[in-house]
Amino acid sequence: MTALTERTAPTPDGINPSRARDVVRALYNRPPLTAADLSAPLLSLPDGAPETSLPGAVQFADVPATVARWAALGIRGVKVFAFGHDRDRDATGATAPDNRMVRTVQAVKKEAPTTAVTTEVCGCSWTDHGQCVLRTDAGDIDLEATYRLMGAMAVMHAEAGADCVSPTAMLDGSIRAVRQALDDAGHRDVGVNPNVAIHTGLYGPFKTLMQTDPRSGHRRGLQLEPGRAQRDALLQARRWIAEGADSLTLQPVMTTGDVLVRLRDDQKVPLVAYSTSGEWAALQALGTAGMVEYLAMLVRAGADQVLTFAAETVAEYLEARRA
């Protein structure tokens, strides 16, 4: 018989479930997810717009009550999207002084001043062709005009109270142009959070509701291909940081957990994991407890914030469990 003293002792490199009492496990445990880890998309629709089942898609009149409810639950951030009006080829509505985006940002900051507001900076909600960019008569991307549009939008959002702006079209040079426009206008403390967007069908409900699908063609040229996402996302992230980005948003995340892990390993800037509109149906099928586990996984994988249509549902669940 082997003497007890000759047994090989286990390496003490973590809590062993079979050796740690409940009080010890609780001593070292941390909440896997809190409401503070969550931000919510806020889709500002015209008053009188039909009701939708997508959480956070509200008529403008309901914006104050919505953000107040979220803030009370501990949700600390919103990303504002506005349903474009007065659309035209040059997206002139995007820089109209009193457009719905401006009024929504102002309403959020008035009702919940400590809520961090990020805005979408993109032409797709404002162009009559649904493209993220402006185009020349020949149909090519008009880079300089698009840069000017994005810069002007960013400055207008900052002046309305936005804390961070999020250029959506993955267009080389656009982050530099937005950063320069903000700095020139005296908004050096407003962050720039561009998207690392991967082509997917998981944007569908948002595009349908906000009418941002291009009338012709597609926008794959402004998104990464999923088959190369692991490599290209790292390269794109480095480009955005070099152009002046302060943080990054990866979207979608349900099918790109591997990319999130690699981005976290490669980058030290804050990362936002965007659980897009097409994921909402799948999350509902999981149930709220499943939603919590899924979103907690994204935090473990490296997300500093999770932007999700499930934010209110999950925050309510977490609050009820604390009670």
Side-chain angles (χ1 to χ4, degrees):
M1 178 181 293
T2 304
L4 182 63
T5 54
E6 294 177 1
R7 289 173 56 187
T8 301
T11 303
D13 57 359
I15 294 294
N16 185 330
S18 68
R19 290 165 55 93
R21 294 180 176 180
D22 288 346
V23 290
V24 175
R25 294 172 65 161
L27 181 67
Y28 297 118
N29 193 24
R30 294 292 181 273
L33 187 74
T34 70
D37 297 317
L38 307 176
S39 292
L42 179 64
L43 282 54
S44 182
L45 307 178
D47 290 335
E51 291 189 5
T52 172
S53 61
L54 196 61
V58 299
Q59 297 180 22
F60 175 74
D62 295 328
V63 165
T66 300
V67 296
R69 189 171 66 249
W70 291 347
L73 288 169
I75 297 170
R76 299 193 298 186
V78 299
K79 185 169 184 177
V80 179
F81 304 85
F83 185 88
H85 53 283
D86 300 328
R87 295 177 180 233
D88 59 29
R89 170 182 157 174
D90 298 319
T92 53
T95 53
D98 196 33
N99 66 34
R100 190 171 295 108
M101 175 67 83
V102 168
R103 289 185 288 121
T104 301
V105 172
Q106 292 170 338
V108 173
K109 279 301 185 182
K110 181 179 179 180
E111 184 66 34
T114 60
T115 293
V117 175
T118 301
T119 60
E120 181 193 48
V121 173
C122 189
C124 60
S125 290
W126 307 94
T127 54
D128 57 8
H129 47 68
Q131 294 282 350
C132 300
V133 297
L134 302 183
R135 294 194 175 272
T136 66
D137 291 338
D140 299 320
I141 295 177
D142 190 333
L143 285 174
E144 293 305 319
T146 302
Y147 293 160
R148 288 193 298 271
L149 172 66
M150 295 175 73
M153 290 176 70
V155 170
M156 181 171 287
H157 299 175
E159 291 175 348
D163 303 292
C164 190
V165 297
S166 185
T168 300
M170 293 175 56
L171 189 64
D172 282 358
S174 61
I175 309 309
R176 184 179 297 110
V178 166
R179 180 72 268 166
Q180 189 64 56
L182 289 169
D183 291 351
D184 290 347
H187 298 296
R188 294 184 62 84
D189 59 345
V190 173
V192 179
N193 172 269
N195 284 352
V196 177
I198 297 166
H199 184 74
T200 178
L202 295 174
Y203 304 137
F206 174 94
K207 292 194 297 184
T208 299
L209 177 65
M210 304 296 277
Q211 297 180 18
T212 60
D213 232 358
R215 290 192 177 180
S216 62
H218 52 73
R219 55 174 62 101
R220 290 188 80 144
L222 300 176
Q223 296 172 347
L224 301 181
E225 292 294 339
R228 289 185 51 90
Q230 275 203 357
R231 291 167 291 179
D232 289 351
L234 301 187
L235 297 175
Q236 192 67 59
R238 293 170 189 169
R239 290 190 190 106
W240 289 160
I241 299 302
E243 288 192 22
D246 304 289
S247 55
L248 299 166
T249 289
L250 173 66
Q251 64 179 51
V253 287
M254 180 169 281
T255 54
T256 60
D258 56 329
V259 179
L260 176 59
V261 170
R262 294 199 67 183
L263 271 178
R264 178 75 290 161
D265 289 342
D266 190 68
Q267 292 293 329
K268 304 305 180 186
V269 301
L271 295 180
V272 178
Y274 185 8
S275 180
T276 57
S277 61
E279 299 181 26
W280 172 238
L283 292 180
Q284 287 179 286
L286 285 177
T288 309
M291 293 182 195
V292 172
E293 292 189 24
Y294 167 64
L295 300 178
M297 177 274 293
L298 297 176
V299 173
R300 290 197 309 272
D304 296 284
Q305 274 284 296
V306 179
L307 179 65
T308 173
F309 290 90
E312 182 172 359
T313 298
V314 169
E316 288 176 338
Y317 177 88
L318 294 173
E319 183 177 60
R321 292 193 65 181
R322 288 196 305 270

